[in-house]
Structure formats: C-alpha cells, structure tokens
Amino acid sequence: MKKIGVLASGRGTNLQSIVKAEERGELAGKVVIVISDRREAYALEYAREKGIKSVYLNPKEFSNREEFDRVMLEQLKNEKVDLVVMAGFMRLLSPLMIEAFPNRIMNIHPALLPAFPGMNGVKQALEYGVKVSGCTVHFVDEGLDTGPIILQEVVPVFPEDTEDTLHERIQTVEHRKYPRAIDLYCRGFLNVEGRRCFIYEPEEQNSAD
Ligand code: GRF
C-alpha cells in the first residue's frame, strides 16, 4: 500500500474524491498526510474529520520558498510518503521538492496542457474561445505545468458557459481522473520515458480512460 501526501490550499474537492476512492477500495494507496499553506482551507478540516494527519504551514513564517519546502519535505519524509499529490495547491514547488520526489509528484490542471498553463486555466481557455477544454493529470517537474502527462480528458465548452460553470464541469471529470491516475501509480503501472508516460496495465484490469 503506497503512502500518499496531499498538498491543498482550497476546498479540497479533489482530496475528497481521492479519499472516497480509497474508502470504496478503488485506490491501492492511502492518504497519510494533508499539508496546506492556508489555515482556513477546507481540505484541512476534511482531513481532520477523516482522522488523517493535517498540517498547516504558514508561509509568513518562512523567509523563502525553499525554507517552506524544507519543512514540508520533512513532514512528508516523516510519514514515509511515496507519492505527493498536489490538489489545488497554490504554490510553486522548489527544486528541493522535485529532486526529493522525481516523477513522484502529481498535479491536476483544469485545461488540456500544454494549452493554458499556470493560474486561471479555465478563464484563459474561455477567453481564448476554445470549443473544448478539459483536465490534465501530470507529473511535476521544475517548469510551470510542464511535466509528463499521465491522463487527460476532454470537456466541451458551451456558448453560455461562465468560468464557474465550465470549471464545475471540468471538476466532475477531475474527481474521476485523479483517483484513477493515482491508483495506476500505486499499482506500479506508470512508466515515464522522457516526456512520455506509458500505462502498462494488465489486460483484464484495463478500463476506459
Ligand atoms: C482544481 O480544479 C485543479 O484543477 C486546480 O485547482 C482546483 C482545486 O480544486 N489545480 P479543489 O480544491 O480540489 O476543489
């Protein structure tokens, strides 16, 4: 059973979908720690309700990103975390974290990368006028949303969409895609070669992505 550390800054609906998948027995891993840079993040409250170790790190108490990450890394190592999952974590990770967990940090982005990386991916897509957008689960490297792509799914954009309605439709897909990608990792079915991430899943377990 792989140990998962989740980093979250907000509502934590993705965290919830991961924990629910775990509760349904659909995740070959276990969330052992949730870390947030926002005291009021619902993700922390949810973790506490579920009896998961929750840690708040106040960015103001650290002189720079690296110092913050050093303490975060210590917390993750103490829990012997195998995989770090960013679920709406609003901070860029320093090389310290990336080097400590090479191809062992995942992120989910609310657009079809490499289109519309960074902040406000949903707004960027809407303003550009695309007819389809979607979500991307990817490994994290030192760039901004540039790491190897694990799973993607397309979501249609409707003429009447606002940022909120489109984001909501994308999130419905995220809540299915993220636990799936994490489960594939935990089962050892992901293999990264250069920029490409290949899924080697035994035939009988294969389901539509
Ligand atoms: C998600 O839409 C994800 O794509 C983006 O941040 C959002 C986090 O939402 N990286 P939540 O906190 O999991 O509800």
Side-chain angles (χ1 to χ4, degrees):
M1 188 68 81
K2 297 278 186 197
K3 293 183 176 175
I4 302 162
V6 176
L7 315 181
S9 302
R11 287 196 303 157
T13 62
N14 277 288
L15 165 69
Q16 293 173 45
S17 74
I18 296 160
V19 172
K20 281 179 190 156
E22 184 187 322
E23 288 173 348
R24 289 194 302 268
E26 291 171 8
L27 202 76
K30 186 177 169 48
V31 179
V32 294
I33 185 168
V34 173
I35 301 179
S36 182
D37 60 334
R38 297 216 182 129
R39 195 196 301 275
E40 70 284 4
Y42 179 68
L44 282 180
E45 200 180 316
Y46 180 79
R48 277 193 292 270
E49 276 169 22
K50 290 287 173 184
I52 300 166
K53 180 171 182 179
S54 62
V55 176
Y56 163 60
L57 296 177
N58 182 354
K60 290 195 183 118
E61 285 173 12
F62 302 92
S63 49
N64 56 39
R65 195 151 54 105
E66 191 138 299
E67 289 312 309
F68 181 98
D69 282 7
R70 199 179 302 283
V71 174
M72 184 159 73
L73 194 55
E74 216 175 273
Q75 293 279 352
L76 294 165
K77 293 270 179 194
N78 282 346
E79 298 305 318
K80 300 192 167 44
V81 160
D82 301 291
L83 176 72
V84 179
V85 169
M86 297 174 76
F89 192 59
M90 302 310 282
R91 295 171 64 85
L92 266 181
L93 299 182
S94 67
L96 196 75
M97 275 289 294
I98 316 286
E99 280 157 24
F101 291 97
N103 285 335
R104 289 202 288 138
I105 305 176
M106 275 187 199
N107 184 39
I108 190 155
H109 184 73
L112 293 175
L113 292 172
F116 316 120
M119 294 287 283
N120 306 317
V122 179
K123 189 162 178 259
Q124 290 182 58
L126 209 53
E127 284 175 355
Y128 195 90
V130 294
K131 303 296 186 198
V132 293
S133 190
C135 75
T136 305
V137 182
H138 64 95
F139 283 116
V140 175
D141 64 10
E142 287 179 20
L144 180 63
D145 297 330
T146 52
I149 290 171
I150 305 164
L151 295 176
Q152 288 187 302
E153 189 166 320
V154 172
V155 171
V157 179
F158 301 134
E160 64 275 20
D161 264 334
T162 61
E163 189 183 344
D164 283 348
T165 58
L166 179 56
H167 199 176
E168 203 181 310
R169 198 171 322 113
I170 291 173
Q171 282 218 309
T172 309
V173 175
E174 289 186 345
H175 297 158
R176 188 161 32 79
K177 232 49 187 173
Y178 217 0
R180 168 95 179 114
I182 295 166
D183 184 56
L184 285 170
Y185 174 87
C186 290
R187 289 171 192 272
F189 294 157
L190 298 182
N191 193 10
V192 180
E193 291 172 32
R195 279 213 49 83
R196 301 181 71 189
C197 177
F198 296 94
I199 300 171
Y200 295 106
E201 195 174 6
E203 197 86 333
E204 68 275 14
Q205 300 186 37
N206 209 337
S207 69
D209 282 321

